[in-house]
Amino acid sequence: MRHARAVQSAQDVNTEAPPPIDIIVLAHDERHLRRRRLTMQHGDAFLVDLPRTIALHHGDRFVLDDGNTVEVIAAEESLTEITACNAEHHAELCWHLGNRHLPAQVEADRVLIVPDHIIEDMLKGLGATLRPVTEIFTPMLGAYDASHSHDHNHDHAHG
């Protein structure tokens, strides 16, 4: 079985590099890993065996032992989009979500979460506008998440 012991960041992919041999489509919770057997789109499997847990991003590539790469495609997921009536309200909604330690993709004008009827009822009660969307979900990493890297360097030089 093939092994992937390194990941190349999407931003570091050389435009002259050979194309990936295949792709793998992963949801947000599947893109946080260290060691796992994965199956590519065309059916071949490989073992991911990284020195530490990392958070993969859309366009990153697993580097296989033979030098070939497999591109990570972030799956579209069913999400709830949350919007507020103004910036102060947006901050308040973000505080309530953070206080519940929910995975959330926080943007300047909206927040995305995985659907949860209890949280959605709370948000409606706080005056938020909600609507279902289907998009790539990239929740913020926690402040203490060891896989977080400000420079998005996934060559395992994390410190």
Side-chain angles (χ1 to χ4, degrees), residues 91-114:
E92 176 189 357
L93 297 174
C94 289
W95 183 88
H96 282 284
L97 291 168
N99 194 41
R100 283 149 185 88
H101 303 282
L102 295 174
Q105 181 174 325
V106 178
E107 299 175 2
D109 60 345
R110 69 179 188 158
V111 179
L112 298 173
I113 63 168
V114 174

Side-chain angles (χ1 to χ4, degrees), residues 62-91:
F62 288 107
V63 180
L64 302 175
D65 286 345
D66 63 6
N68 285 307
T69 61
V70 178
E71 186 171 0
V72 174
I73 303 297
E76 289 196 346
E77 303 180 54
S78 295
L79 304 168
T80 299
E81 179 187 72
I82 305 156
T83 54
C85 57
N86 59 40
E88 184 177 343
H89 187 223
H90 181 74

Side-chain angles (χ1 to χ4, degrees), residues 24-34 36 38 54-56 62 72-73 75 77:
I24 185 150
V25 180
L26 301 171
H28 80 278
D29 55 344
E30 297 170 319
R31 294 193 314 266
H32 197 227
L33 59 92
R34 187 191 83 71
R36 186 178 307 148
L38 297 175
I54 65 168
L56 297 163
F62 288 107
V72 174
I73 303 297
E77 303 180 54

